[in-house]
């Protein structure tokens, strides 16, 4: 009951924060303070909900939908904290609805995962994976926003929304800052995996391991291209989204197939 109560309350404040941010964009009214207040309440309630659905009496439940809601909370809090210093508030419009969907799924959609006791060092590996995926997700959304902004400017579509977005160059700098931190965390994920996992190339982990390495390599090449060749614009967008897509397959693709289709964990 506590999980349901905190989940529904978090959904309400996420929806209210999204509505206020949308009104701020459309009507040009500054509601940033109210948006942040609702977002903070949503995050606190979402965290309580995450704890309730994952930390069960029989162990930690890292089922598919439980992981999704934990990912969404990590992404949301990262964006909210970063928005205190950087112009990221408009990302709320994309990320908060995803958080709402993740909460609903974690509460009412079952999975075949069996809760496990505290995994010790493996927990560090899992948390690093969550942090890295959250940042790369933010980078992917940011890249799409940059592509849309660039297209609008090229076609001289100066809508009211554009007046609430930071300069294109500022957004690109922020994008590569996020990608760099995400890349470092991905390296930490791979390293901790080899340190704490029994066998990173076991049958149920080999796809995840290989795809994570591929995704990390993609972002490594992108950062090198940015530094050495000045990559930006569509080139940066393609590499960012490619790395993000591979990372999704690395975790959610393999987990979805193993847990929900093959009924294995």
């Amino acid at each position: 009951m506590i999980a349901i109560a905190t989940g529904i309350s978090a959904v309400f404040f996420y929806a209210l924060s999204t509505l206020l941010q949308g009104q701020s964009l459309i009507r040009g009214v500054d509601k940033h303070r109210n948006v942040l207040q609702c977002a903070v309440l949503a995050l606190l309630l979402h965290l309580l909900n995450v704890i309730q659905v994952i930390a069960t009496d029989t162990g930690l439940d890292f089922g598919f939908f439980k992981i999704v809601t934990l990912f969404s909370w990590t992404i949301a809090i990262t964006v909210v904290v970063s928005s205190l210093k950087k112009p990221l508030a408009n990302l709320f419009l994309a990320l908060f609805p995803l958080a709402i969907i993740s909460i609903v799924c974690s509460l009412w959609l079952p999975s075949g995962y069996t809760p496990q006791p505290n995994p010790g060092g493996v927990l560090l590996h899992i948390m690093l994976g969550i942090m890295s995926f959250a940042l790369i997700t933010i980078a992917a959304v940011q890249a799409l926003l940059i592509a849309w902004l660039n297209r609008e400017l090229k076609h001289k579509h100066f809508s009211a929304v554009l007046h609430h977005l930071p300069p294109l160059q500022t957004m690109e700098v922020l994008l590569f800052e996020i990608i760099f931190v995400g890349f470092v965390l991905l390296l930490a994920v791979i390293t901790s995996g080899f340190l704490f996992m029994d066998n990173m190339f076991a049958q149920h982990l080999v796809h995840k391991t290989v795809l994570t390495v591929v995704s990390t390599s993609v972002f490594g090449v992108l950062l090198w291209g940015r530094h050495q060749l000045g990559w930006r614009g569509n080139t940066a967008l393609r590499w960012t989204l490619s790395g993000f897509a591979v990372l999704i397959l690395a975790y959610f693709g393999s987990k979805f197939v193993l847990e929900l289709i093959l009924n294995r964990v």
Side-chain angles (χ1 to χ4, degrees):
M1 291 300 296
I2 297 178
I4 294 177
T6 55
I8 293 176
S9 300
V11 166
F12 171 78
F13 284 107
Y14 273 134
L16 183 57
S17 182
T18 303
L19 177 62
L20 291 173
Q21 182 61 28
Q23 290 179 342
S24 178
L25 272 177
I26 296 172
R27 299 179 181 177
V29 179
D30 186 8
K31 296 186 178 182
H32 187 63
R33 182 181 180 86
N34 294 332
V35 170
L36 282 180
Q37 289 174 341
C38 292
V40 169
L41 288 173
L43 288 169
L44 291 174
L45 290 163
H46 192 176
L47 176 60
L48 292 175
N49 175 258
V50 167
I51 293 172
Q52 289 294 320
V53 298
I54 290 182
T56 67
D57 294 335
T58 56
L60 299 178
D61 185 351
F62 286 116
F64 180 82
F65 297 112
K66 308 302 190 296
I67 284 291
V68 169
T69 193
L70 180 54
F71 270 119
S72 69
W73 179 83
T74 306
I75 294 170
I77 193 171
T78 301
V79 174
V80 170
V81 172
S82 298
S83 70
L84 299 176
K85 294 184 177 180
K86 297 181 183 295
L88 295 176
N90 290 327
L91 291 180
F92 297 172
L93 296 174
L95 297 180
F96 285 179
L98 294 178
I100 291 173
I101 294 172
S102 74
I103 292 172
V104 173
C105 290
S106 70
L107 287 174
W108 285 290
L109 293 184
S111 70
Y113 188 90
T114 302
Q116 303 293 326
N118 193 324
V122 177
L123 184 60
L124 174 63
H125 172 72
I126 293 173
M127 296 309 296
L128 287 171
I130 291 170
M131 293 170 62
S132 62
F133 187 87
L135 287 173
I136 296 302
T137 300
I138 295 170
V141 175
Q142 179 82 344
L144 289 172
L145 190 58
I146 290 173
W148 175 80
L149 177 59
N150 189 44
R151 188 190 66 178
E152 292 294 290
L153 292 175
K154 284 184 177 179
H155 291 83
K156 298 181 179 180
H157 296 161
F158 301 110
S159 62
V161 177
L162 295 182
H163 296 292
H164 296 271
L165 295 176
L168 186 60
Q169 184 176 1
T170 301
M171 295 180 69
E172 284 193 342
V173 170
L174 176 60
L175 170 65
F176 280 95
E177 288 178 353
I178 295 172
I179 291 175
F180 175 76
V181 178
F183 172 74
V184 172
L185 287 176
L186 281 173
L187 292 177
V189 169
I190 296 172
T191 302
S192 63
F194 282 107
L195 289 176
F196 299 117
M197 303 293 287
D198 292 334
N199 184 2
M200 285 284 282
F201 291 99
Q203 185 176 3
H204 67 293
L205 292 175
V206 62
H207 298 93
K208 184 184 297 184
T209 301
V210 171
L211 289 172
T212 301
V213 171
V214 170
S215 177
T216 306
S217 301
V218 169
F219 288 113
V221 172
L222 172 57
L223 290 170
W224 175 85
R226 170 71 171 183
H227 180 71
Q228 297 294 328
L229 305 175
W231 286 357
R232 53 176 300 180
N234 290 332
T235 301
L237 173 65
R238 286 193 294 268
W239 281 85
T240 300
L241 294 182
S242 296
F244 175 63
V246 175
L247 197 59
I248 287 180
L249 290 175
Y251 195 84
F252 287 107
S254 59
K255 191 171 183 64
F256 180 84
V257 172
L258 288 171
E259 183 178 324
L260 301 182
I261 296 180
L262 301 180
N263 197 29
R264 294 167 53 190
V265 298

